[in-house]
Amino acid sequence: MLLRNPTGYKGGFWQTYYVDEIFCMAASTENDAFSVVSKAMKKGKLGVSLDHSPFLDGVPAIRIDLQVWSYNKPFMLIQHKTTNVTDQTIKNMKLYELIDFDIGGPASYKDDKGIYDPKADLMLVYDGNPLVVGIASRPGPDRWEISPPTKLLISEDAPDLRKNMKLGPMDVATGLQWNLGNLKPEESKTIDIIIASTTSRSEIRTLIPEGWKQFSSKIQ
């Protein structure tokens, strides 16, 4: 999720925010404005701290702490923590998670379907094969979108995902959005995410709660 994918589409985590009323974008597919503060790996777990410097002076505005765990379980646990490292309030912080799963690989990803269930705060992606991917978060997202990969766009003029409920069969990408609001100096906000995969939509709804039970012990 920290690298540009082969097609150059948007993917992984993105963030938008304002410093001194100037719009800033932190895109995980672009690495020029990021610097690695620390990185640690152990069995099944990766922790990375990144500074994002939105201006040419190279002074960081936010620190992003990512913890990712996946080991012998059909889910990935992700914690995304954002901290204001400036001496002023950062305004209107938004976090996005954008993923193009390509269920079935190149031979069949054009028949994918995406559905968002607002009651369960659950995004589902699947096709005719026995594979379903689900994304859930705590807190639940403020907005979401299912879109062709090239049309899943974020900008200052259009910073919000569209909240459509379903799309497909076609090549679809998914987006979740959390409105984190204003961050005072040294203030942090955290989003916990589970990405799970199984063989049916009913099983995925059982698997997500199992993932939350694992979260507190695996992500600390």
Side-chain angles (χ1 to χ4, degrees), residues 41-146:
M41 299 176 65
K42 60 182 180 179
K43 190 175 183 179
K45 185 176 180 180
L46 169 67
V48 180
S49 292
L50 305 169
D51 278 349
H52 182 251
S53 305
F55 306 125
L56 294 177
D57 59 10
V59 177
I62 61 174
R63 177 158 296 171
I64 299 165
D65 294 302
L66 291 169
Q67 293 191 70
V68 181
W69 182 90
S70 182
Y71 187 77
N72 288 340
K73 295 286 185 180
F75 46 70
M76 178 182 290
L77 311 180
I78 304 168
Q79 185 173 83
H80 190 292
K81 177 182 176 183
T82 304
T83 303
N84 178 357
V85 295
T86 72
D87 59 2
Q88 60 186 294
T89 297
I90 288 178
K91 297 181 179 180
N92 199 19
M93 173 72 70
K94 298 184 179 184
L95 169 66
Y96 312 82
E97 192 70 58
L98 310 178
I99 307 177
D100 181 3
F101 286 105
D102 282 345
I103 303 294
S108 67
Y109 64 80
K110 292 185 179 181
D111 63 350
D112 291 354
K113 298 178 182 178
I115 294 178
Y116 185 74
D117 180 349
K119 293 183 179 180
D121 287 329
L122 180 62
M123 179 73 76
L124 297 170
V125 185
Y126 59 95
D127 64 7
N129 296 305
L131 177 63
V132 180
V133 177
I135 316 172
S137 71
R138 289 182 175 173
D142 296 286
R143 301 184 72 91
W144 55 86
E145 184 169 339
I146 308 159

Side-chain angles (χ1 to χ4, degrees), residues 1-5 8-14 26-31 34:
M1 291 193 295
L2 303 177
L3 302 175
R4 179 188 298 276
N5 68 31
Y9 297 155
K10 295 184 176 184
F13 73 85
W14 287 59
S28 66
T29 53
E30 304 291 346
N31 58 19
F34 283 104

Side-chain angles (χ1 to χ4, degrees), residues 77-79 192-193 211-219:
L77 311 180
I78 304 168
Q79 185 173 83
D192 295 335
I193 302 167
W212 288 126
K213 290 179 181 179
Q214 294 276 338
F215 211 100
S216 59
S217 63
K218 302 301 182 183
I219 302 294

Side-chain angles (χ1 to χ4, degrees), residues 1 10-18 23-28 80 82 92-99 141 143-145 152-156 158-162 174-180 191 193:
M1 291 193 295
K10 295 184 176 184
F13 73 85
W14 287 59
Q15 293 188 246
T16 60
Y17 57 95
Y18 285 83
F23 178 76
C24 304
M25 181 178 286
S28 66
H80 190 292
T82 304
N92 199 19
M93 173 72 70
K94 298 184 179 184
L95 169 66
Y96 312 82
E97 192 70 58
L98 310 178
I99 307 177
R143 301 184 72 91
W144 55 86
E145 184 169 339
L152 190 56
L153 304 175
I154 298 167
S155 69
E156 183 175 14
D160 292 319
L161 302 182
R162 296 187 299 126
T174 60
L176 300 178
Q177 172 186 329
W178 299 268
N179 298 335
L180 304 183
I191 301 294
I193 302 167

